[in-house]
């Protein structure tokens, strides 16, 4: 039977078992919307801004093991989506974006709502396609899903001119796809794995440094098993939180710019570092020259060869899928009669525990004034550490990462690589739709939340009972912190004047709004919010505007050169 | 260090911009880039001449490999290989210069492929160095126009870059 291009697109999405499409209609995608209208297998979520469509699809993907899908129109629809696409790209999130394009004959004519979407998005997608024939739609969409989810995941965009969605052809969805130009490695090299295990067994001061690759590769289980088998200290990056249970004794917290004292000291002074799906980001290792001063052997497992030896020279590179490589390593460790030397390891742990005793995350709080850290601690208690937590970008993001202790992967959703303010609420939408009935909290700031505030309307339409935890410090806090420390306290444009009354604003959208001014009311407010199972509750916490995020490694400084508290300034 | 990278890429529209975009976005040098379809018209072959430290060139090859359309990447300058470039040069050729230019061209094994009463177009292939020295040997005031193709490269002996 002959189907139109638009019908074919929808059939392809159905074949891919897509539950939700996050999108926004317009001229170039009218045929597609017409076909969505005629079916009820896929639900379309009408966002209020295309940026949020991609963020929500991205949040859906982060909180599940599935590919998120967004649909936007040509021109401004596509350009609005770019921030969302770049955000997903920087954190390697599998998203398929379908964009409408002007009719084939109009391309290049400066047509109405024409932009070169493939050109604009090229540097921030894993791959993209312009479909030129209706026959190419099905194989292209098949490829798009395959590319997005396999190897190092990432966003893939499919641009479809309007006339192609109207043209007809036979529909046949390919069962499988093979591309001669794309064959991601999954099994690690046996010899390298053997070398790695040997190094680990001989280590005197071993350390595991796991990242987003563990979450993306669904490898929390083998990682936890291997780490326990070895008994080594372990840290997880901002993107790897939940990849190893935070409540385990072996866990040292996050490393890096706002990492814990113990994680950073152990990263720096270890003699063997096992990096698992982490990419030695500048926010993690600080100044690479300073990091290189201390001799250590590095084993690096990553599916993307270009992540290896990019910023730090690696001694044992292992290219492969984390889960498979870790399983191999577990087998090798179990088969071996050798174990790390107990006394040596105990001496190392003594040192690590001494660092840990600095208790670098302690904070002073007394009286009525609400400390932001305290709110996150209470959020963790009230939700039994078992909520999906999204955040935006700024101080609140760091406090959420430091004080909410994640025991499971895919519970923590934030923009690490691009650091995009505005992701918090759409991420929460994606997570809540994927996990109806589970608690979802969006820890945000009064500035970030305003970057996608319009989505409160979407939340109402789709009855998403998200709890917004606004750590309202009346400042672009992270900017203010840098200005305080590096720019002589000249707070240029970092104060937010004329803020709305967020509680009333939430009410205007049909939600529940609560303003909390006193520390003593924090817990009750949180409990009340989570008891309201069917309501979105906007909790506007008036927090200490002067609080800073510690520890802090200044840009250009070494990992061990941390500012631990205001007294160090 | 100078490196010559050969790659095979799916012959799709936009393939070239994926490669050139990668170089500009990551701040890598391109000295020259040549591209044309291969005997299999679904594939294009590129030769890219670049410079950079070992670490940078390692990243360049990894990043090129990462492009979804790229089928194969080889740094052919890592072992014995041949490089050739084509030069077309238009020179003013009048009076006694005509003989002199013809002689120089012969020495370099060039061919005069267009003749008017006032000019020649000379075609010359060879390594970058050879073309440079040929241009050096010509009287600069006589050169009207030059065009160079950029380098094509191929490995010596048994080494073959093919799908
Ligand atoms: C305000 C702010 C402050 C920040 N401060 C910090 C900080 O203090 N500490 C910190 O850690 N981060 C911090 N970040 C985040 C930082 O910018 C980086 O995003 C983050 O450190 C990168 O995490 P990652 O190394 O785990 O890599 P990711 O970006 O998560 O990359 C994952 C890696 O795993 C690989 N991979 C993916 N899938 C697989 C698989 N299946 N098998 C094998 N490998 C795979 C990928 O190729 C990639 O190399 C901050 C961000 C912001 C916005
Ligand atoms: C889209 C975007 N613009 C600008 C920035 C730079 N930036 C990083 S944090 C920050 C302040 C965020 O303020 P707020 O949301 O109130 O969080 P706080 O730091 O106060 O907790 C800014 C402006 C960014 N990350 N993203
Ligand atoms: Mg703020």
């Amino acid at each position: 039977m002959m189907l139109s291009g638009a019908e074919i697109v929808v059939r392809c999405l159905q074949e891919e078992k897509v539950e939700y499409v996050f999108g926004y209609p317009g001229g170039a995608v009218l045929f597609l919307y017409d076909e969505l209208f005629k079916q009820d297998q896929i639900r379309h979520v009408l966002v209020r801004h295309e940026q949020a469509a991609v963020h929500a699809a991205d949040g859906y993907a982060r909180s599940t093991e599935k590919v998120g899908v967004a649909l936007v129109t040509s021109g401004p629809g596509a350009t609005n989506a770019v921030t969302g696409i770049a955000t997903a790209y920087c954190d390697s999130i599998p998203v398929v974006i379908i964009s409408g394009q002007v009719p084939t004959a109009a391309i290049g004519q400066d047509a109405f709502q024409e932009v070169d979407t493939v050109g604009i998005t090229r540097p921030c997608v894993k791959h993209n396609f312009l479909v030129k024939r209706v026959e190419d739609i099905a194989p292209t969409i098949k490829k798009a899903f395959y590319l997005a989810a396999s190897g190092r995941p990432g966003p893939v965009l499919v641009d479809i001119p309007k006339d192609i969605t109207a043209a007809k052809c036979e529909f046949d969805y390919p069962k499988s796809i093979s591309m001669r130009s794309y064959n991601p490695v999954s099994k690690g090299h046996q010899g390298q794995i053997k070398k790695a295990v040997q190094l680990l067994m001989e280590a005197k001061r071993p350390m595991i440094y796991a990242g987003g690759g563990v979450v993306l590769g669904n490898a929390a289980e083998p990682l936890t098993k291997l780490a326990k088998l070895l008994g080594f200290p372990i840290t997880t990056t901002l993107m790897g939180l939940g990849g190893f249970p935070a409540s385990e004794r072996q866990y040292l917290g996050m490393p890096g710019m706002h990492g814990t004292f113990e994680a950073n000291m152990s990263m720096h002074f270890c003699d063997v570092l096992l990096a698992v799906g982490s990419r030695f980001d500048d926010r993690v290792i600080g100044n690479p020259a300073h990091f290189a001063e201390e001799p250590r052997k590095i084993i690096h497992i990553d599916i993307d060869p270009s992540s290896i030896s990019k910023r730090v020279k690696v001694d044992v590179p292992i290219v492969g899928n984390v889960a498979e490589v870790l399983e191999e390593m577990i087998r090798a460790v179990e088969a071996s009669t050798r174990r790390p030397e107990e006394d040596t390891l105990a001496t190392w742990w003594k040192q690590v525990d001494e660092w840990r005793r600095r208790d670098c995350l302690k904070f002073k709080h007394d009286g009525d004034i609400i400390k932001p850290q305290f709110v996150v601690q209470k959020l963790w208690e009230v939700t039994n550490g078992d909520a999906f937590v999204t955040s935006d970008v700024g101080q609140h993001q760091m406090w959420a990462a430091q004080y909410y202790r994640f025991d499971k992967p895919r519970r923590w959703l934030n923009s690490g690589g691009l650091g995009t303010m505005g992701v918090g609420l759409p991420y929460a939408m994606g997570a809540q739709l994927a996990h109806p009935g589970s608690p979802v909290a969006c820890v945000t700031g009064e500035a970030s939340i305003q970057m996608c505030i319009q989505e409160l309307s979407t939340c109402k339409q789709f009855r998403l009972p998200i709890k917004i935890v606004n750590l309202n410090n009346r400042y672009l806090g992270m900017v203010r912190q840098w200005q305080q420390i590096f720019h002589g306290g000249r707070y240029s444009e970092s104060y937010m004047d004329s803020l709305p009354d967020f509680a009333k604003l939430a009410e205007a959208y049909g939600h529940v709004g609560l303003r909390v001014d006193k520390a003593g009311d924090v817990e009750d407010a949180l409990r009340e919010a989570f008891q309201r199972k069917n309501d979105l509750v906007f909790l506007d916490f008036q927090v200490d505007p002067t609080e800073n995020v510690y520890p802090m490694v200044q840009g250009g400084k070494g990992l061990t050169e941390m500012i631990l508290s205001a007294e160090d300034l | 260090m100078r490196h010559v990278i050969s790659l095979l890429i799916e012959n799709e529209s936009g393939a070239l911009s994926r490669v050139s975009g990668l170089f500009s976005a990551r701040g890598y040098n391109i000295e020259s880039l040549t591209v044309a379809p291969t005997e299999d018209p679904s594939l294009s072959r590129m030769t890219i001449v670049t410079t950079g430290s070992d670490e940078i060139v390692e990243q360049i090859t990894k990043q090129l490999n990462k492009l979804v359309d790229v089928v194969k990447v080889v740094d052919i300058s890592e072992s014995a290989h041949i490089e050739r470039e084509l030069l077309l040069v238009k020179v003013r050729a009048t009076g006694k210069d005509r003989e002199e230019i013809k002689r120089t061209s012969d020495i370099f094994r060039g061919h005069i492929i267009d003749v008017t009463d006032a000019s020649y177009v000379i075609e010359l292939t060879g390594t970058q160095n050879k073309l440079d020295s040929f241009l050096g040997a010509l009287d600069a005031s006589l050169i009207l126009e030059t065009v160079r193709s950029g380098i094509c490269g191929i490995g010596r002996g048994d080494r073959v870059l093919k799908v």
Side-chain angles (χ1 to χ4, degrees):
Chain A
M1 206 178 68
M2 303 280 274
L3 300 185
S4 74
E7 283 176 278
I8 291 174
V9 171
V10 171
R11 286 283 293 274
C12 291
L13 298 180
Q14 289 173 343
E15 292 278 344
E16 290 292 339
K17 309 266 183 309
V18 172
E19 283 181 287
Y20 291 103
V21 170
F22 300 88
Y24 208 90
V29 286
L30 279 174
F31 290 117
L32 285 169
Y33 272 84
D34 205 31
E35 291 310 320
L36 282 173
F37 186 83
K38 293 178 193 159
Q39 56 86 53
D40 53 15
Q41 187 176 328
I42 299 167
R43 278 192 75 195
H44 180 272
V45 178
L46 178 68
V47 294
R48 269 51 174 171
H49 187 299
E50 289 89 348
Q51 180 185 343
V54 185
H55 287 330
D58 168 346
Y60 175 90
R62 285 179 202 247
S63 75
T64 61
E65 295 170 17
K66 301 181 204 161
V67 176
V69 181
L71 171 59
V72 298
T73 192
S74 68
T79 53
N80 269 351
V82 170
T83 299
I85 298 171
T87 304
Y89 181 69
C90 291
D91 291 338
S92 307
I93 307 300
V95 182
V96 168
I97 304 97
I98 296 176
S99 54
Q101 184 53 276
V102 300
T104 324
I107 290 179
Q109 310 278 315
D110 299 323
F112 176 63
Q113 297 196 324
E114 178 186 1
V115 295
D116 175 10
T117 304
V118 165
I120 288 173
T121 58
R122 187 173 295 125
C124 60
V125 291
K126 180 166 172 184
H127 198 58
N128 58 16
F129 300 93
L130 172 64
V131 181
K132 291 188 179 141
R133 301 179 324 144
V134 63
E135 292 80 10
D136 293 341
I137 291 179
T140 304
I141 292 183
K142 181 78 192 178
K143 274 187 202 167
F145 276 86
Y146 168 59
L147 288 172
S150 59
R152 179 176 184 167
V156 178
L157 177 132
V158 182
D159 200 27
I160 314 180
K162 186 169 184 178
D163 56 317
I164 306 293
T165 62
K168 290 192 167 178
C169 75
E170 290 289 337
F171 174 63
D172 181 23
Y173 200 60
K175 298 249 152 11
S176 63
I177 208 95
S178 88
M179 297 169 74
R180 62 179 170 184
S181 64
Y182 176 79
N183 299 292
V185 186
S186 75
K187 263 191 130 55
H189 188 279
Q190 283 300 329
Q192 294 292 86
I193 291 177
K194 237 171 104 181
K195 251 202 240 163
V197 169
Q198 191 170 346
L199 260 184
L200 291 172
M201 296 304 187
E202 288 164 3
K204 296 196 166 53
R205 299 183 307 279
M207 173 76 180
I208 305 175
Y209 148 57
V214 171
V215 177
L216 295 163
N218 302 312
E221 221 174 283
L223 174 68
T224 307
K225 188 163 172 197
L226 180 67
K228 286 189 177 170
L229 205 56
L230 295 168
F232 297 168
I234 176 167
T235 178
T236 58
T237 68
L238 185 71
M239 302 315 294
L241 298 182
F244 182 86
S247 47
E248 291 284 344
R249 209 192 92 73
Q250 273 169 268
Y251 186 63
L252 305 189
M254 181 171 83
M257 180 175 272
H258 294 299
T260 64
F261 184 69
E262 53 270 33
N264 284 346
M265 296 299 277
S266 309
M267 283 277 284
H268 193 80
F269 290 109
C270 66
D271 71 339
V272 174
L273 183 64
L274 173 61
V276 191
S278 47
R279 55 185 174 84
F280 293 92
D281 187 79
D282 48 304
R283 295 237 156 173
V284 172
I285 57 160
N287 181 343
H290 180 274
F291 188 67
E293 277 168 18
E294 199 65 27
R296 67 179 86 68
K297 293 266 184 243
I298 299 179
I299 305 162
H300 191 177
I301 309 171
D302 203 294
I303 203 157
D304 179 357
S306 78
S307 281
I308 297 177
S309 290
K310 177 160 69 179
R311 308 193 63 250
V312 166
K313 196 95 201 97
V314 168
D315 302 281
V316 185
I318 305 175
V319 177
N321 183 15
V322 258
E324 285 175 64
V325 175
L326 289 173
E327 300 280 4
E328 284 284 328
M329 288 177 84
I330 291 168
R331 273 195 289 279
V333 172
E334 281 174 343
S336 155
T337 46
R338 279 192 71 174
R339 282 290 174 274
E341 241 244 76
E342 262 178 50
D343 294 348
T344 326
L345 198 54
T347 314
W348 173 229
W349 265 112
K350 226 176 113 202
Q351 171 66 74
V352 173
D353 282 332
E354 203 178 302
W355 287 325
R356 179 142 55 185
R357 270 195 296 280
R358 289 288 281 268
D359 196 8
C360 67
L361 292 182
K362 69 172 176 291
F363 58 92
K364 287 199 202 85
H365 92 117
D366 43 11
D368 280 346
I369 200 148
I370 304 178
K371 287 290 180 180
Q373 301 95 318
F374 175 72
V375 179
V376 178
Q377 260 182 1
K378 285 291 162 196
L379 173 67
W380 179 73
E381 280 174 33
V382 166
T383 56
N384 303 313
D386 204 23
F388 288 85
V389 178
T390 76
S391 87
D392 271 299
V393 175
Q395 293 181 313
H396 62 272
Q397 175 190 21
M398 294 298 111
W399 288 317
Q402 292 173 329
Y403 294 89
Y404 200 99
R405 308 226 300 272
F406 295 91
D407 283 336
K408 295 179 192 156
R410 298 194 181 277
R411 293 302 175 104
W412 164 240
L413 288 67
N414 83 134
S415 166
L418 197 64
T420 309
M421 290 169 69
V423 296
L425 184 53
Y427 278 179
M429 287 160 38
Q432 188 76 78
L433 282 162
H435 307 276
S438 297
V440 177
C442 164
V443 177
T444 184
E446 78 297 329
S448 292
I449 191 68
Q450 292 190 80
M451 288 217 179
C452 272
I453 193 91
Q454 75 286 345
E455 296 310 315
L456 284 174
S457 174
T458 313
C459 293
K460 186 66 190 171
Q461 183 179 346
F462 293 88
R463 300 197 176 81
L464 303 177
I466 295 159
K467 312 305 173 213
I468 297 174
V469 177
N470 188 28
L471 301 180
N472 188 341
N473 53 10
R474 279 88 74 205
Y475 273 107
L476 305 176
M478 189 54 96
V479 175
R480 188 201 52 71
Q481 176 167 347
W482 284 55
Q483 288 172 334
Q484 180 186 346
I485 299 173
F486 309 121
H487 297 277
R490 292 178 297 280
Y491 298 133
S492 177
E493 304 298 322
S494 56
Y495 180 69
M496 269 256 150
D497 206 343
S498 305
L499 284 171
D501 178 333
F502 285 105
K504 276 200 187 136
L505 185 68
E507 282 165 15
Y509 277 104
H511 301 301
V512 178
L514 288 174
R515 180 186 158 112
V516 185
D517 293 279
K518 287 201 217 111
D521 297 336
V522 168
E523 183 167 345
D524 284 349
L526 283 165
R527 287 203 187 281
E528 183 186 341
F530 282 95
Q531 270 153 19
R532 290 176 167 272
K533 295 249 181 291
N534 300 318
D535 295 318
L536 183 151
V537 183
F538 195 121
L539 293 154
D540 186 21
F541 292 101
Q542 308 300 306
V543 301
D544 183 353
T546 63
E547 190 55 84
N548 284 341
V549 182
Y550 299 112
M552 178 180 193
V553 180
Q554 306 178 34
K557 288 274 165 115
L559 257 192
T560 55
E561 302 168 313
M562 284 167 271
I563 305 173
L564 286 177
S565 68
E567 282 95 69
D568 287 357
L569 287 180
Chain B
M1 261 282 278
R2 178 176 174 280
H3 288 255
V4 182
I5 295 170
S6 284
L7 62 90
L8 292 171
I9 186 167
E10 297 288 351
N11 187 8
E12 310 251 349
S13 67
L16 178 59
S17 45
R18 285 186 207 280
V19 173
S20 60
L22 173 77
F23 275 77
S24 60
R26 294 187 182 266
Y28 304 144
N29 299 316
I30 295 190
E31 209 168 89
S32 76
L33 186 161
T34 63
V35 58
T38 62
E39 71 280 13
D40 168 357
S42 69
L43 282 175
S44 289
R45 175 154 174 162
M46 283 185 199
T47 307
I48 302 167
V49 179
T50 183
T51 51
S53 62
D54 289 351
E55 292 78 40
I56 289 182
V57 174
E58 182 183 332
Q59 265 298 311
I60 291 177
T61 50
K62 284 175 171 179
Q63 293 293 343
L64 285 169
N65 258 312
K66 199 166 140 181
L67 291 176
V68 167
D69 278 341
V70 168
V71 184
K72 270 196 176 150
V73 181
V74 178
D75 182 347
I76 61 168
S77 51
E78 275 186 343
S79 46
H81 70 287
I82 301 162
E83 293 175 26
R84 287 294 179 270
E85 184 172 11
L86 169 69
L87 163 75
L88 300 178
V89 53
K90 187 176 288 181
V91 288
R92 184 176 305 118
T94 51
K96 65 172 179 27
D97 288 339
R98 286 177 84 85
E99 242 332 276
E100 180 59 26
I101 292 168
K102 167 89 173 59
R103 220 176 3 247
T104 314
S105 165
D106 286 346
I107 293 169
F108 282 86
R109 290 177 221 275
H111 301 284
I112 297 176
I113 54 173
D114 185 55
V115 180
T116 69
D117 49 8
S119 71
Y120 287 154
V121 173
I122 305 165
E123 170 201 321
L124 185 67
T125 50
T127 60
Q128 239 174 349
N129 267 340
K130 174 175 163 181
L131 305 191
D132 290 343
S133 3
F134 175 61
L135 288 174
L138 291 173
D139 178 345
S141 67
L142 299 178
I143 297 177
L144 297 171
E145 186 181 348
T146 64
V147 53
R148 296 172 71 149
S149 64
I151 279 160
C152 279
I154 197 163
R156 282 189 185 273
D158 305 338
R159 292 188 314 128
V160 175
L161 173 58
K162 228 184 155 157
V163 178

